[in-house]
Amino acid sequence: MEIIGKTNIDFIGKRNIAFVISGIMALVGIVAMIQIARGAANMGIDFSGGTAIQLKFAQPLHIDQARAALAKHNLKEANLQDIKEGNKLLVKVGRTSLETGKAADTIEDVFKKEFPTNTFVVESSTEIGPSIGDKLRKDTLVAIAISLLGIIIYIAWRFDLKFGVGATLATLHDVLAMFAVFFVLGKEFNLLFITAALTIAGYSLTDTVVVFDRIRENLHKDLKGSMLNIFNKSINEVLSRTIVTSLTTFLASVALFLFGGEVIHDFAFALVVGVVVATYSSIFVASPIVALWEEKAAKAKA
C-alpha cells in the first residue's frame, strides 16, 4: 500500500537541523536519567517503595473528600487517582512512617471510619519496600544498557559495525526522548513506563532495519555513486512503507490513550510519544549518522 507517490526529499541534507533537535532531546533525557538514578525524579512506588491500593465503592466518592479523609489521618501525601468507571479510586502512598505491610490496612480503616455508609471492596493492593524499589531502579538501568549492547551486536552481525552504532544511537535517542518528555511534563516513572520504553526500542530498531536493508541493497547496486545520494534514495524508496506502518501503530496507540482507561493512560501516552520519535529517528538520526561515517570512510580510501 502506498499513500504517497514517488518522493525525492533531501533527508540527509537536513541532518544538521535534526542533530540539533535530537541533541537537545537527548541532553534533557540524560538529565532525566541522572535524576532517576539519584531518586530525585517523580518516581512511582515501583522504584521508590510504597503502597498502591485500588478500591471500588458502592456509591460515588469525590476525590477531594477522599483526600481530606486521608489527610485527617496523617496521609496527606497520598496520591489519588479517580477512575470514573465503577466508582473506583486508586490510592498511592510513598514511603511513610507506617510499619511495612500496614499502609494498606490503614487506608482501608480510614475509609471505613470516615465513610461508613459507602462500602467498598479492595480490587488490588501492592506494597513495595524501599530496598526492593531501589533494586528495581538499578536493575532497570542495567536492563536498558544490556538491551542497547545487544542491539549493537545484532546489527553489527546483520550489517556491519557502522550500521550497528547508527541503530544503537537512534534507539538510545528514542529512549532518551521518552525520558525527556516524561521528565519535562513531571509524569511518573514506573515499570509501565519502562515497559513502554523497551517496547519502543524494539519498534524503533525494526523500523531502522527496514531502512538499512534498502540502503545496503542500493549500495550493492551502485558501487560508485555518492553515499549521500544513495542514502537519500533509499529513505525515499521506503518512505511510504514507513509512514503506513507508523501511522497504523500511532492510531492504535492513540486509541489506547483515549479509551484505555486511567490505569494505562501514561503507558499509552509513552507509546504515542515513542512511535513519533522512533519514526523521526529512523529517518533523521540513524541514516545520517551511517551516511556521514560511510562517506568519510570512502574518502579515506580514495
Side-chain angles (χ1 to χ4, degrees), residues 228-248:
L228 300 186
N229 289 339
I230 292 173
F231 275 68
N232 262 329
K233 177 185 174 185
S234 304
I235 296 171
N236 278 288
E237 286 178 352
V238 298
L239 184 61
S240 183
R241 179 265 175 205
T242 299
I243 291 175
V244 170
T245 304
S246 300
L247 190 60
T248 51

Side-chain angles (χ1 to χ4, degrees), residues 58-96:
Q59 303 166 25
L61 176 64
H62 197 278
I63 193 168
D64 290 338
Q65 290 178 298
R67 186 173 287 112
L70 290 169
K72 188 176 174 184
H73 294 269
N74 300 320
L75 288 170
K76 62 181 179 182
E77 75 282 2
N79 181 5
L80 276 64
Q81 191 173 333
D82 193 12
I83 302 173
K84 302 298 181 187
E85 300 86 5
N87 301 326
K88 297 178 183 177
L89 185 68
L90 178 63
V91 182
K92 295 181 181 178
V93 182
R95 299 178 189 181
T96 70

Side-chain angles (χ1 to χ4, degrees), residues 28-29 38 117 159-160 215 228 238 257 261 278 283 296:
V28 178
R38 294 176 60 232
T117 58
F159 296 92
D160 65 29
I215 291 171
L228 300 186
V238 298
F257 175 71
I283 295 173
K296 190 175 179 180

Side-chain angles (χ1 to χ4, degrees), residues 122-198:
V122 179
E123 289 200 325
S124 65
S125 177
T126 306
E127 189 145 3
I128 299 176
S131 58
I132 295 176
D134 188 52
K135 186 177 186 307
L136 278 173
R137 187 172 68 243
K138 291 175 180 173
D139 288 352
T140 297
L141 295 176
V142 171
I144 292 174
I146 292 175
S147 65
L148 292 175
L149 179 63
I151 289 171
I152 288 183
I153 295 172
Y154 170 70
I155 299 295
W157 167 72
R158 176 88 184 271
F159 296 92
D160 65 29
L161 182 61
K162 292 188 281 292
F163 284 85
V165 172
T168 303
L169 289 176
T171 304
L172 179 61
H173 162 275
D174 299 343
V175 173
L176 287 174
M178 292 175 68
F179 274 86
V181 171
F182 264 59
F183 181 66
V184 170
L185 295 179
K187 287 188 171 293
E188 183 180 280
F189 292 100
N190 52 32
L191 283 180
L192 277 179
F193 170 78
I194 298 302
T195 304
L198 294 177

